[in-house]
């Protein structure tokens, strides 16, 4: 690929020599390149083919020249959405997703996504143009003045600035390595306006570029750590495996499946690990979650942190006597970060390394004849599962009017079953929690959602990225509030004609739509929106298909049409406005005033 650099750099020099006023070509024209070109060449050299961004000073020409040079430039309506798109592209592809923004406000709009990428361990690079260093540092009031590097540092895994064209190769290489190696994360790359027009000798420029060799090197776990884990597992009477989105990211799908199936250990997938094994797998304990967590004695965490999503590994969820008490479980934790172990409870057997290497080492160590867990453990889980699945089936079979979350999601569940390759984007509160538990996933990395922060606003950025990087049909299940954070990107979805079918679970508000202003005054409650808002017209405004549905049958037909046509579609599904609960499943996190005695 170094050829690309030579060719395009030379092309620039030729363009210049043809420019009006350039006069006769010099006797021996010196081929030159510039900062714009070197940034493009450095990215291309490292296999980066798509940029998510929003143009303006000082990167307008960069976006044009990127497109001219064959990069796919996906232009958004707000940088935050471009940033979320880049972050999830990183998760899906194991290549850093790149987001490109202008300075100060554009940069800040992108920074939320940068922090989100770091928090979720997604590889991403935020590249922002910045103003003149001399003016910024003396705070003399430049156009969009801001010390962006300083602001990005605490929110990114790493942050770099390039001042000279000859350092672009190093800057891009460092950004790629930082994003991908070890625990992946968000990296900021600051490119001042003055860098882009700097010219230098094309050959020297080409030589300054770096094709990063082995950016995410394997990290083989120590054999004694693996043995310790196996020894602990041998003592287990009620073992459990928890798969997290790190396991999904690692793309070690076959080995993970073998480990689960060969040991016979029941497993729980975290939300973005759903589908790593099909949710219908007989060893899935999802439908008995509240039974297996407190009952398990040895838990193997694979790419999942014991953060709030797992109640910090202690308390009532885990059978602890009080909200902070340890439930008595022993943990094996497979993670690339050596600092993750003991973050909340004692980890008896940390296995540090990349998940592919760790799981394959475990497989070797357990050998082909690992005894299956006790029938009592499996039987007890099956019993709970059967009961809960039957209860759920009863709820799903109902067809209330207006639709409930469950009756609408029963349709989505069928559609996803019939289209297992489709990507599922999901955000909201009730719209998220019900979807996670009702809609089964069948293949790895198909479900992408609010992630570690439970963040609203990832929806449309994720839809765009999922469609662009996978080429698959995308189905988005969106709370009406959640959708509002990125709804303008429906224009982007139409502009690029992406096969995205958005289903809005419209209950007229945040959590529910029936709250009243306690004063009886004219302002609505802070939690509700315009009643019966016609979100589907937003899609129609940009040439997509909008459908308003009030019944499960109409929803089914609209989703089938969307998938058949692959046209951008927004289905506004009317849901009972009283059907949700505050904060969905995480009501316990709402601070409540202490009741007076
Ligand atoms: P979830 O939210 O699904 O529980 P988390 O985001 O909390 O998952 O945890 C993901 C974990 O996976 C992080 O601790 C991260 O260090 C780890 N991880 C990410 N990629 C890899 C990898 N390739 N190998 C090993 N661990 C990884
Ligand atoms: N802002 C951001 C960026 N993230 C958040 N998580 C919130 C605000 C708070 N929040 C939630 O945690 S869920 C939610 C908000 C505003 C919206 C819930 O309403 P919805 O879903 O319409 O999306 P349901 O189905 O009505 O519960
Ligand atoms: Mg809602």
């Amino acid at each position: 690929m170094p050829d690309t650099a030579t060719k395009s750099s030379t092309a620039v020099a030729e363009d210049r020599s043809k420019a009006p006023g350039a006069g006769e070509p010099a006797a021996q024209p010196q081929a030159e390149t510039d900062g714009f070109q070197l940034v493009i060449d450095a990215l291309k050299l490292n296999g980066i083919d798509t940029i998510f961004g929003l143009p303006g000073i000082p990167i307008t020409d960069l976006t044009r020249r990127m497109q001219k040079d064959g990069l796919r430039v996906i232009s958004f309506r707000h940088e935050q959405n471009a940033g979320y798109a880049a972050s999830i592209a990183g998760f899906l592809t194991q290549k850093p997703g790149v987001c490109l923004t202008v300075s100060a406000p554009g940069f800040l709009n992108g920074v939320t996504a940068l922090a989100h990428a770091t928090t979720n361990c997604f590889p991403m690079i935020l590249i922002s143009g910045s103003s003149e260093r001399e003016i910024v540092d003396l705070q003399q009031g430049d156009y969009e003045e801001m010390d962006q590097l300083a602001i990005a540092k605490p929110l990114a895994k790493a942050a770099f600035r390039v001042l000279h064209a000859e350092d672009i190769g190093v800057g891009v290489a460092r950004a790629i390595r930082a994003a991908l190696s070890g625990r992946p994360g968000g990296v900021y790359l600051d490119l001042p306006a003055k860098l882009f027009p700097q010219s230098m000798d094309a050959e020297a420029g080409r030589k300054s570029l770096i094709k990063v060799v082995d950016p995410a090197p394997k990290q083989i776990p120590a054999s004694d750590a693996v043995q310790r884990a196996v020894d602990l597992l041998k003592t287990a009477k009620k073992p459990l495996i928890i798969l997290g989105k790190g396991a999904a990211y690692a793309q070690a799908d076959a080995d993970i499946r073998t480990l689960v199936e060969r040991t016979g250990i029941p497993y729980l997938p975290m939300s973005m690990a759903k589908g790593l094994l099909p949710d219908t797998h007989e060893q899935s304990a999802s439908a008995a979650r509240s039974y297996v967590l407190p009952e398990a004695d040895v838990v193997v965490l694979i790419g999942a942190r014991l953060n709030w999503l797992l109640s910090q590994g202690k308390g009532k969820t885990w059978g602890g006597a009080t909200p902070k008490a340890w439930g008595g479980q022993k943990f094996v934790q497979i993670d690339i970060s050596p600092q993750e172990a003991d973050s909340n409870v004692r980890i008896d057997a940390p296995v540090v390394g990349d998940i592919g290497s760790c799981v394959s080492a475990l497989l070797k160590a357990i050998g082909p004849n690992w005894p299956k867990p006790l029938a009592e453990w499996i039987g007890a889980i099956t019993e709970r599962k059967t009961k809960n699945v039957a209860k759920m089936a009863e709820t799903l079979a109902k067809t209330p009017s207006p639709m409930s979350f469950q009756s609408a999601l029963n349709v989505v569940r069928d559609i996803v079953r019939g289209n297992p390759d489709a990507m599922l984007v999901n955000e909201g509160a009730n719209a998220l929690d019900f979807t996670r538990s009702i809609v089964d996933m069948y293949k790895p990395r198909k479900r992408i959602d609010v992630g570690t922060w439970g963040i609203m606003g990832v929806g449309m950025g994720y839809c765009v990225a999922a469609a662009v990087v996978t080429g698959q049909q995308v189905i988005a299940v969106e709370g009406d509030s959640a959708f509002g954070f990125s709804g303008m990107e429906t224009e982007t979805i139409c502009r690029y004609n992406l096969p995205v079918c958005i289903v809005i679970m419209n209950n007229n508000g945040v959590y529910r739509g029936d709250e009243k202003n306690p004063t009886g005054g004219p302002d609505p409650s802070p939690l509700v929106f315009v009643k019966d808002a016609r979100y589907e017209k937003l899609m129609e405004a940009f040439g997509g298909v909008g459908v308003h549905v009030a019944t499960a049958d109409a929803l089914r037909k609209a989703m089938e049409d969307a998938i058949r046509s692959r046209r951008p579609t927004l289905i506004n599904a009317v849901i009972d406005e009283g059907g949700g609960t505050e904060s969905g499943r995480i009501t316990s996190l709402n601070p409540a005033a202490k009741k007076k005695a």
Side-chain angles (χ1 to χ4, degrees):
M1 263 184 73
D3 286 347
T4 325
T6 329
K7 233 185 279 159
S8 33
S9 312
T10 317
V12 174
E14 280 168 3
D15 283 349
R16 286 220 185 116
S17 64
K18 282 186 216 137
E24 292 298 310
Q28 280 192 316
Q30 180 102 23
E32 290 223 324
T33 188
D34 63 9
F36 287 110
Q37 195 61 47
L38 287 165
V39 171
I40 295 166
D41 292 344
L43 292 170
K44 286 176 69 171
L45 182 61
N46 284 289
I48 287 166
D49 51 18
T50 306
I51 307 292
F52 303 95
L54 202 160
I57 296 171
I59 51 120
T60 317
D61 241 11
L62 184 61
T63 60
R64 285 195 192 101
R65 286 175 57 173
M66 282 172 154
Q67 189 170 54
K68 178 166 168 267
D69 274 11
L71 285 169
R72 185 149 197 221
V73 183
I74 306 290
S75 192
F76 284 73
R77 305 301 295 262
H78 190 291
E79 291 89 349
Q80 192 175 94
N81 305 319
Y84 288 144
S87 75
I88 207 66
F91 169 77
L92 292 171
T93 62
Q94 293 185 327
K95 280 196 288 189
V98 175
C99 174
L100 178 63
T101 80
V102 302
S103 30
F107 158 79
L108 286 174
N109 285 345
V111 157
T112 310
L114 176 72
H116 165 79
T118 308
T119 299
N120 282 274
C121 317
F122 298 159
M124 168 189 170
I125 302 174
L126 174 67
I127 301 180
S128 296
S130 59
S131 310
E132 274 209 43
R133 284 257 37 95
E134 294 84 342
I135 303 182
V136 172
D137 288 347
L138 277 170
Q139 298 174 29
Q140 294 175 306
D142 200 2
Y143 169 73
E144 297 190 347
E145 174 181 298
M146 174 170 279
D147 188 357
Q148 296 168 195
L149 190 68
I151 289 164
K153 265 185 190 158
L155 302 168
K157 188 180 166 197
F160 305 102
R161 175 186 292 135
V162 182
L163 292 177
H164 303 290
E166 59 264 36
D167 293 330
I168 287 171
V170 170
V172 169
R174 299 212 73 188
I176 290 171
R177 261 192 206 287
L180 286 175
S181 59
R183 171 183 276 178
V187 175
Y188 176 58
L189 187 61
D190 191 85
L191 302 183
K194 270 192 177 170
L195 177 74
F196 297 113
Q198 280 178 29
S199 61
M200 69 180 285
D201 174 67
E203 177 63 7
R206 188 182 70 79
K207 285 190 179 147
S208 73
L209 300 184
I210 296 173
K211 185 168 165 60
V212 178
V213 177
D214 197 13
K218 270 193 184 154
Q219 284 183 228
I220 315 286
S223 55
D224 57 337
V226 173
Q227 196 52 50
R228 194 183 296 121
V230 172
D231 291 346
L232 177 57
L233 212 46
K234 274 186 191 149
T235 68
K237 296 206 162 48
K238 299 174 173 182
L240 176 70
I241 291 174
I242 297 183
L243 302 172
K245 60 177 162 327
Y249 172 77
Q251 300 193 14
D253 309 338
D255 272 359
I256 288 174
R257 185 167 185 151
T258 306
L259 179 73
V260 171
E261 291 182 343
R262 195 184 289 168
T263 59
I265 299 175
Y267 74 95
L268 277 182
M270 300 300 287
S271 70
M272 281 176 56
K274 272 166 71 78
L276 209 42
L277 285 86
D279 279 335
T280 47
H281 197 283
E282 61 172 1
Q283 284 172 254
S284 167
S286 289
R289 189 178 195 269
S290 60
Y291 173 72
V292 292
L293 288 179
E295 283 294 319
D297 60 358
V298 176
V299 179
V300 183
L301 298 162
I302 308 183
R305 286 169 286 186
L306 283 177
N307 56 17
W308 70 279
L309 289 158
L310 282 168
S311 308
Q312 266 89 19
K314 57 196 168 191
K316 302 238 156 102
T317 310
W318 293 86
T322 63
K324 289 242 164 188
W326 176 49
Q329 288 81 4
K330 305 226 159 170
F331 289 96
V332 174
Q333 183 160 35
I334 300 180
D335 205 291
I336 202 151
S337 165
Q339 293 174 43
E340 187 53 40
D342 305 330
S343 57
N344 285 285
V345 292
R346 181 171 68 233
I347 302 296
D348 289 278
V351 181
V352 175
D354 68 280
I355 285 166
S357 303
C358 292
V359 171
S360 102
L362 266 184
L363 277 174
K364 263 202 207 100
I366 63 170
N369 302 312
W370 187 263
K372 293 279 184 286
L374 300 176
E376 264 170 67
W377 175 229
I378 302 300
I381 297 172
T382 309
E383 194 189 313
R384 263 84 182 175
K385 266 176 69 171
T386 313
K387 220 165 66 196
N388 291 338
V389 168
K391 218 161 68 191
M392 172 75 87
E394 218 174 276
T395 315
L396 293 181
K398 291 185 184 146
T399 50
S401 177
M403 280 187 283
S404 61
F405 281 100
Q406 292 95 330
S407 68
L409 288 167
N410 184 44
V411 173
V412 178
R413 171 189 165 98
D414 289 348
I415 300 281
V416 170
R417 189 193 297 126
N419 298 275
D421 285 312
M423 297 292 303
L424 183 71
V425 173
N426 190 199
E427 61 177 342
N430 294 281
L432 176 90
D433 292 334
F434 282 114
T435 305
R436 189 179 53 232
S437 59
I438 293 172
V439 178
D440 288 330
M441 304 306 298
Y442 299 88
K443 296 193 176 185
R445 292 171 296 283
K446 294 296 182 187
R447 186 189 151 87
I448 49 183
D449 65 27
V450 299
T452 303
W453 266 343
I455 203 168
M456 298 299 114
V458 291
M460 296 305 104
Y462 275 20
C463 284
V464 171
V468 165
V469 305
T470 71
Q472 299 289 348
Q473 173 70 43
V474 179
I475 297 167
V477 178
E478 298 273 314
D480 52 331
S481 165
F483 172 74
F485 287 73
S486 65
M488 195 62 198
E489 303 297 345
T490 44
E491 189 276 331
T492 311
I493 289 167
C494 290
R495 183 163 20 105
Y496 291 95
N497 195 23
L498 300 173
V500 175
C501 171
I502 303 156
V503 181
I504 296 188
M505 298 276 139
N506 189 358
N507 62 351
N508 294 337
V510 176
Y511 313 136
R512 36 198 303 145
D514 55 0
E515 293 231 10
K516 302 270 182 298
N517 178 340
T519 70
D523 284 354
S525 151
L527 291 140
V528 304
F529 301 136
V530 165
K531 288 222 184 290
D532 305 318
R534 301 301 293 260
Y535 294 104
E536 75 279 9
K537 295 198 187 294
L538 195 55
M539 198 54 129
E540 288 171 359
F542 306 118
V545 178
V547 196
H548 182 258
V549 301
T551 65
D553 286 344
L555 173 59
R556 189 180 301 272
K557 177 171 185 314
M559 289 192 77
E560 284 169 354
D561 288 350
I563 289 170
R564 198 176 312 113
S565 71
R566 286 177 64 91
R567 287 188 64 194
T569 301
L570 191 156
I571 304 168
N572 184 2
V574 180
I575 305 287
D576 179 5
E577 66 174 12
T581 50
E582 178 146 345
S583 304
R585 291 269 165 84
I586 50 174
T587 50
S588 60
L589 296 184
N590 285 317
K594 285 228 164 60
K595 287 208 179 78
K596 291 209 178 91

